[in-house]
Structure formats: C-alpha cells, structure tokens
Amino acid sequence: MSLINLSYRTNYLHTYFKTTIVIPDTNETSYKNLWLLHGYTGDDSAWIRHKNIEKLAREYNVAVIMPEARNAFYTDSDFIPYYTYFVEELIPKVRSLFPISDKPEDTFIAGSSMGGYGALKIGLKNPQTFSKVAALSPITDIVHFRNNPDAPMAHNTFDTIFDSPEKIKENQLTNLVTPDNKNQKFMTICGHDDYMFQDNIDFANFMTKKFSHNYTFDKVSGNHSWDTWTKNVEKIFKWL
C-alpha cells in the first residue's frame, strides 16, 4: 500500500491544505477512487485514525482520497470558498498527480456527519463526476442541524458560512436534486440513537420518492459517533 500525505498551497484558499491518499499496490494505471470526507472538527487524518482504511482499500482495490476541509462545511463562504476549491482545483490536482480514473463510473464520494452532508451535496451538484454517493449519519437538513441542541457547531460559526436565507436555501440538500441526478446511485446509513435520526428518515423518504431503486437507506444500531461509522463504513465499500 502507498500512503501519501499531500500538502500544497491552493490558488483558491491562499494557504496550505492537506490531503491523505491511499493507493493499493496492484500497479493499475487508473484506479477506481473513493473521496472520503471527514466531519466537523476532523481533518484528512480522521478516517485513518479511526479505521484501517488501507486494509479496505486493499481488499476492494480502490484508491481512497481523504481531503482536509477544516470546519468549512464543504461550502463556499466569504472566509473559505471550499466547495469551489474542491471541485475546480482539488479534483483536477489529484487526478493529475495520481493513477486514478476520471470516469464517473469509477469515481465515488462518501463521508460522515458534516462529511456526509458534503458528500451528498458535492455528489448531487456534480453528477458528471460521481456515479455513486454515500453518507454515514449525514446532516440532511442544515436548519434543523443549526437549531438542534445536540449539534456541536456554535450558531455564530454556522451563521458565518450560511449567512443569509438565500444561502441556506441554495445549500439545502433537497433543493439540489435535479433530473441530472437520475442515473446516480445513493446510499445513506444512520443509527437509531443518532440525534439526527428523524432528519435522516425524512431525507430517506424524500430520496426514495425521487430515486426509487437507485437509493438505499440502512437503519443501524448506534448513535452519532465514530463507533457507529467504523462499524458500518465497510458496507459502503461493498456497496460501491
């Protein structure tokens, strides 16, 4: 296995951001690839710290790209234009440096919590890039998340990113679904004891109506924690 720590100064963010990449040693020239996103307060090492991602990458012969997002919510803001950086700079940069496929059928995105929101958002907005999208305990309603007393993000931090009703509306996942998403496949997983379980149920009902057999929802035991995500992330690798 190759474990690569990439750090470079981005043109969009004007600072150094990190990405951790795992590539199997099967000497392919165009690996299927999973962009695996971390949650709030995490970084590019979060998944490596909690789960043996190298083992999963080897078993499923997929390159795994884990970018640092800090607490940017995978969203453009006045402070960090993170979404634009991810789509317009990071993806082309990684593709130019490493042996990963650029075909949609080989390119997947997933994440947990804030990273689950990011995966769903980026996936929905870029169907020409990602054929499959998965999320563990995703934030599916950003307004409910802001107002939930169990949410870890302070209101002023949230409001710095989503700073107007228009910004909230254009970043709500249910508002991002278009006919262009009809050929994608989606999967969400959430624990019964998750503080956002009902939001996930509501989102699952919405997605089932929109995508029918192209959407899978798995209700599991557990809460909003790494214990739940590490127990269930291999389901995503198998599904992919």
Side-chain angles (χ1 to χ4, degrees):
M1 297 298 296
S2 297
L3 177 62
I4 300 154
N5 297 308
L6 173 68
S7 177
Y8 76 99
R9 188 179 188 276
T10 81
N11 294 322
Y12 280 93
L13 308 182
H14 306 295
T15 188
Y16 288 86
F17 263 62
K18 301 176 295 177
T19 301
T20 296
I21 301 164
V22 175
I23 299 179
D25 290 335
T26 49
N27 298 320
E28 295 188 17
T29 58
S30 189
Y31 283 97
K32 292 184 178 181
N33 52 99
L34 169 63
W35 295 72
L36 187 57
L37 311 185
H38 68 76
Y40 184 64
T41 73
D43 67 4
D44 61 301
S45 71
W47 278 102
I48 292 288
R49 290 173 185 269
H50 291 91
K51 185 70 175 180
N52 191 341
I53 297 299
E54 288 182 282
K55 180 175 181 288
L56 292 175
R58 181 186 303 110
E59 289 180 0
Y60 294 93
N61 199 38
V62 60
V64 183
I65 301 101
M66 295 164 280
E68 175 188 17
R70 301 183 188 176
N71 294 330
F73 232 96
Y74 301 93
T75 297
D76 284 347
S77 67
D78 291 340
F79 179 58
I80 297 178
Y82 189 87
Y83 171 82
T84 301
Y85 151 73
F86 188 102
V87 172
E88 296 187 8
E89 185 178 31
L90 183 61
I91 293 175
K93 182 80 168 181
V94 172
R95 284 176 168 176
S96 72
L97 292 174
F98 302 103
I100 64 172
S101 173
D102 62 0
K103 296 177 180 178
E105 60 266 29
D106 295 335
T107 307
F108 321 123
I109 190 166
S112 61
S113 192
M114 184 186 79
Y117 167 83
L120 290 165
K121 173 183 169 176
I122 294 169
L124 284 166
K125 294 184 73 171
N126 297 276
Q128 77 287 354
T129 302
F130 300 99
S131 60
K132 292 184 177 180
V133 182
L136 291 148
S137 308
I139 296 164
T140 56
D141 186 316
I142 54 177
V143 174
H144 288 182
F145 171 77
R146 180 197 184 277
N147 297 326
N148 193 312
D150 293 320
M153 179 178 276
H155 286 176
N156 61 347
T157 303
F158 180 95
D159 295 341
T160 298
I161 300 168
F162 303 103
D163 55 4
S164 68
E166 294 75 21
K167 186 75 172 288
I168 291 173
K169 183 178 180 180
E170 69 186 27
N171 282 282
Q172 279 283 37
L173 294 178
T174 53
N175 294 333
L176 301 179
V177 176
T178 73
D180 291 338
N181 303 120
K182 65 181 180 180
N183 294 322
Q184 292 176 290
K185 294 184 184 298
F186 299 86
M187 180 185 201
T188 59
I189 298 171
C190 190
H192 288 282
D193 297 323
D194 195 298
Y195 69 87
M196 292 187 293
F197 183 68
Q198 186 58 51
D199 286 349
N200 273 259
I201 291 291
D202 294 343
F203 184 71
N205 291 336
F206 172 86
M207 293 291 280
T208 299
K209 289 178 182 178
K210 290 290 184 179
F211 297 104
S212 184
H213 62 281
N214 280 348
Y215 173 72
T216 301
F217 178 52
D218 191 4
K219 292 180 282 187
V220 300
S221 62
N223 55 14
H224 197 85
S225 70
W226 277 106
D227 285 343
T228 304
W229 307 331
T230 55
K231 288 177 183 176
N232 291 284
V233 68
E234 189 166 358
K235 291 181 180 180
I236 290 174
F237 279 80
K238 289 180 179 179
W239 176 76
L240 294 175

